[in-house]
PDB file of all heavy atoms in Angstrom:
ATOM      1  N   ARG A 131     -17.713   5.753  -3.382  1.00  0.00           N
ATOM      2  CA  ARG A 131     -18.535   6.786  -2.803  1.00  0.00           C
ATOM      3  C   ARG A 131     -19.896   6.810  -3.467  1.00  0.00           C
ATOM      4  O   ARG A 131     -20.410   7.858  -3.813  1.00  0.00           O
ATOM      5  CB  ARG A 131     -17.857   8.154  -2.909  1.00  0.00           C
ATOM      6  CG  ARG A 131     -16.917   8.384  -1.737  1.00  0.00           C
ATOM      7  CD  ARG A 131     -16.460   9.806  -1.731  1.00  0.00           C
ATOM      8  NE  ARG A 131     -15.344  10.018  -2.634  1.00  0.00           N
ATOM      9  CZ  ARG A 131     -14.943  11.224  -3.004  1.00  0.00           C
ATOM     10  NH1 ARG A 131     -15.548  12.270  -2.564  1.00  0.00           N
ATOM     11  NH2 ARG A 131     -13.903  11.336  -3.807  1.00  0.00           N
ATOM     12  N   GLY A 132     -20.457   5.622  -3.678  1.00  0.00           N
ATOM     13  CA  GLY A 132     -21.761   5.538  -4.346  1.00  0.00           C
ATOM     14  C   GLY A 132     -22.856   6.076  -3.458  1.00  0.00           C
ATOM     15  O   GLY A 132     -22.634   6.399  -2.287  1.00  0.00           O
ATOM     16  N   GLU A 133     -24.049   6.165  -4.001  1.00  0.00           N
ATOM     17  CA  GLU A 133     -25.190   6.677  -3.249  1.00  0.00           C
ATOM     18  C   GLU A 133     -25.405   5.863  -1.966  1.00  0.00           C
ATOM     19  O   GLU A 133     -25.772   6.392  -0.942  1.00  0.00           O
ATOM     20  CB  GLU A 133     -26.456   6.631  -4.108  1.00  0.00           C
ATOM     21  CG  GLU A 133     -26.439   7.624  -5.262  1.00  0.00           C
ATOM     22  CD  GLU A 133     -26.388   9.063  -4.765  1.00  0.00           C
ATOM     23  OE1 GLU A 133     -27.309   9.444  -3.995  1.00  0.00           O
ATOM     24  OE2 GLU A 133     -25.454   9.774  -5.133  1.00  0.00           O
ATOM     25  N   ALA A 134     -25.177   4.543  -2.065  1.00  0.00           N
ATOM     26  CA  ALA A 134     -25.413   3.668  -0.925  1.00  0.00           C
ATOM     27  C   ALA A 134     -24.540   4.079   0.250  1.00  0.00           C
ATOM     28  O   ALA A 134     -24.932   3.913   1.410  1.00  0.00           O
ATOM     29  CB  ALA A 134     -25.123   2.212  -1.300  1.00  0.00           C
ATOM     30  N   GLY A 135     -23.388   4.647  -0.039  1.00  0.00           N
ATOM     31  CA  GLY A 135     -22.473   5.003   1.034  1.00  0.00           C
ATOM     32  C   GLY A 135     -22.733   6.393   1.580  1.00  0.00           C
ATOM     33  O   GLY A 135     -22.006   6.866   2.461  1.00  0.00           O
ATOM     34  N   ARG A 136     -23.782   7.052   1.106  1.00  0.00           N
ATOM     35  CA  ARG A 136     -24.005   8.437   1.551  1.00  0.00           C
ATOM     36  C   ARG A 136     -24.494   8.465   2.979  1.00  0.00           C
ATOM     37  O   ARG A 136     -25.361   7.730   3.383  1.00  0.00           O
ATOM     38  CB  ARG A 136     -25.008   9.110   0.632  1.00  0.00           C
ATOM     39  CG  ARG A 136     -24.480   9.318  -0.759  1.00  0.00           C
ATOM     40  CD  ARG A 136     -25.380  10.205  -1.558  1.00  0.00           C
ATOM     41  NE  ARG A 136     -25.100  11.586  -1.333  1.00  0.00           N
ATOM     42  CZ  ARG A 136     -25.899  12.565  -1.760  1.00  0.00           C
ATOM     43  NH1 ARG A 136     -27.004  12.293  -2.376  1.00  0.00           N
ATOM     44  NH2 ARG A 136     -25.572  13.815  -1.538  1.00  0.00           N
ATOM     45  N   GLU A 137     -23.909   9.346   3.720  1.00  0.00           N
ATOM     46  CA  GLU A 137     -24.323   9.498   5.105  1.00  0.00           C
ATOM     47  C   GLU A 137     -24.496  10.975   5.326  1.00  0.00           C
ATOM     48  O   GLU A 137     -23.537  11.725   5.264  1.00  0.00           O
ATOM     49  CB  GLU A 137     -23.229   8.996   6.059  1.00  0.00           C
ATOM     50  CG  GLU A 137     -23.248   7.503   6.276  1.00  0.00           C
ATOM     51  CD  GLU A 137     -22.359   7.212   7.474  1.00  0.00           C
ATOM     52  OE1 GLU A 137     -22.876   7.194   8.596  1.00  0.00           O
ATOM     53  OE2 GLU A 137     -21.152   7.025   7.271  1.00  0.00           O
ATOM     54  N   ILE A 138     -25.720  11.376   5.530  1.00  0.00           N
ATOM     55  CA  ILE A 138     -25.984  12.801   5.665  1.00  0.00           C
ATOM     56  C   ILE A 138     -26.566  13.094   7.047  1.00  0.00           C
ATOM     57  O   ILE A 138     -27.415  12.375   7.550  1.00  0.00           O
ATOM     58  CB  ILE A 138     -26.921  13.300   4.554  1.00  0.00           C
ATOM     59  CG1 ILE A 138     -26.276  12.971   3.203  1.00  0.00           C
ATOM     60  CG2 ILE A 138     -27.160  14.786   4.684  1.00  0.00           C
ATOM     61  CD1 ILE A 138     -27.069  13.405   2.014  1.00  0.00           C
ATOM     62  N   ARG A 139     -26.042  14.135   7.648  1.00  0.00           N
ATOM     63  CA  ARG A 139     -26.549  14.590   8.950  1.00  0.00           C
ATOM     64  C   ARG A 139     -27.260  15.917   8.725  1.00  0.00           C
ATOM     65  O   ARG A 139     -26.737  16.801   8.071  1.00  0.00           O
ATOM     66  CB  ARG A 139     -25.384  14.829   9.917  1.00  0.00           C
ATOM     67  CG  ARG A 139     -24.479  13.611  10.127  1.00  0.00           C
ATOM     68  CD  ARG A 139     -25.106  12.627  11.070  1.00  0.00           C
ATOM     69  NE  ARG A 139     -24.205  11.504  11.308  1.00  0.00           N
ATOM     70  CZ  ARG A 139     -24.176  10.377  10.596  1.00  0.00           C
ATOM     71  NH1 ARG A 139     -24.997  10.235   9.554  1.00  0.00           N
ATOM     72  NH2 ARG A 139     -23.346   9.409  10.863  1.00  0.00           N
ATOM     73  N   HIS A 140     -28.466  16.034   9.295  1.00  0.00           N
ATOM     74  CA  HIS A 140     -29.232  17.278   9.191  1.00  0.00           C
ATOM     75  C   HIS A 140     -29.379  17.915  10.562  1.00  0.00           C
ATOM     76  O   HIS A 140     -29.650  17.220  11.541  1.00  0.00           O
ATOM     77  CB  HIS A 140     -30.615  17.002   8.618  1.00  0.00           C
ATOM     78  CG  HIS A 140     -30.602  16.467   7.208  1.00  0.00           C
ATOM     79  ND1 HIS A 140     -30.488  17.257   6.117  1.00  0.00           N
ATOM     80  CD2 HIS A 140     -30.668  15.182   6.768  1.00  0.00           C
ATOM     81  CE1 HIS A 140     -30.475  16.504   5.017  1.00  0.00           C
ATOM     82  NE2 HIS A 140     -30.583  15.247   5.386  1.00  0.00           N
ATOM     83  N   PHE A 141     -29.231  19.226  10.618  1.00  0.00           N
ATOM     84  CA  PHE A 141     -29.508  19.960  11.864  1.00  0.00           C
ATOM     85  C   PHE A 141     -29.851  21.384  11.519  1.00  0.00           C
ATOM     86  O   PHE A 141     -29.170  22.030  10.758  1.00  0.00           O
ATOM     87  CB  PHE A 141     -28.318  19.903  12.817  1.00  0.00           C
ATOM     88  CG  PHE A 141     -27.000  20.300  12.224  1.00  0.00           C
ATOM     89  CD1 PHE A 141     -26.601  21.654  12.247  1.00  0.00           C
ATOM     90  CD2 PHE A 141     -26.175  19.379  11.592  1.00  0.00           C
ATOM     91  CE1 PHE A 141     -25.384  22.027  11.696  1.00  0.00           C
ATOM     92  CE2 PHE A 141     -24.971  19.764  11.022  1.00  0.00           C
ATOM     93  CZ  PHE A 141     -24.584  21.092  11.072  1.00  0.00           C
ATOM     94  N   GLU A 142     -30.973  21.846  12.023  1.00  0.00           N
ATOM     95  CA  GLU A 142     -31.402  23.250  11.879  1.00  0.00           C
ATOM     96  C   GLU A 142     -31.235  23.747  10.444  1.00  0.00           C
ATOM     97  O   GLU A 142     -30.735  24.856  10.224  1.00  0.00           O
ATOM     98  CB  GLU A 142     -30.639  24.129  12.845  1.00  0.00           C
ATOM     99  CG  GLU A 142     -30.945  23.763  14.291  1.00  0.00           C
ATOM    100  CD  GLU A 142     -30.239  24.640  15.322  1.00  0.00           C
ATOM    101  OE1 GLU A 142     -29.364  25.449  14.942  1.00  0.00           O
ATOM    102  OE2 GLU A 142     -30.556  24.512  16.512  1.00  0.00           O
ATOM    103  N   GLY A 143     -31.641  22.951   9.495  1.00  0.00           N
ATOM    104  CA  GLY A 143     -31.577  23.385   8.076  1.00  0.00           C
ATOM    105  C   GLY A 143     -30.246  23.096   7.405  1.00  0.00           C
ATOM    106  O   GLY A 143     -30.133  23.203   6.196  1.00  0.00           O
ATOM    107  N   TRP A 144     -29.248  22.742   8.194  1.00  0.00           N
ATOM    108  CA  TRP A 144     -27.923  22.441   7.634  1.00  0.00           C
ATOM    109  C   TRP A 144     -27.890  21.001   7.185  1.00  0.00           C
ATOM    110  O   TRP A 144     -28.621  20.154   7.712  1.00  0.00           O
ATOM    111  CB  TRP A 144     -26.823  22.648   8.699  1.00  0.00           C
ATOM    112  CG  TRP A 144     -26.600  24.041   9.120  1.00  0.00           C
ATOM    113  CD1 TRP A 144     -27.437  24.790   9.872  1.00  0.00           C
ATOM    114  CD2 TRP A 144     -25.448  24.834   8.851  1.00  0.00           C
ATOM    115  NE1 TRP A 144     -26.872  26.041  10.082  1.00  0.00           N
ATOM    116  CE2 TRP A 144     -25.655  26.095   9.467  1.00  0.00           C
ATOM    117  CE3 TRP A 144     -24.258  24.620   8.155  1.00  0.00           C
ATOM    118  CZ2 TRP A 144     -24.732  27.124   9.399  1.00  0.00           C
ATOM    119  CZ3 TRP A 144     -23.333  25.628   8.081  1.00  0.00           C
ATOM    120  CH2 TRP A 144     -23.559  26.882   8.706  1.00  0.00           C
ATOM    121  N   ALA A 145     -27.024  20.710   6.217  1.00  0.00           N
ATOM    122  CA  ALA A 145     -26.802  19.322   5.784  1.00  0.00           C
ATOM    123  C   ALA A 145     -25.293  19.088   5.711  1.00  0.00           C
ATOM    124  O   ALA A 145     -24.557  19.877   5.142  1.00  0.00           O
ATOM    125  CB  ALA A 145     -27.456  19.060   4.433  1.00  0.00           C
TER     126      ALA A 145
END
Side-chain angles (χ1 to χ4, degrees):
R131 273 191 278 167
E133 290 297 303
R136 293 190 85 191
E137 277 194 90
I138 303 180
R139 304 281 183 269
H140 296 277
F141 52 90
E142 297 181 352
W144 292 70

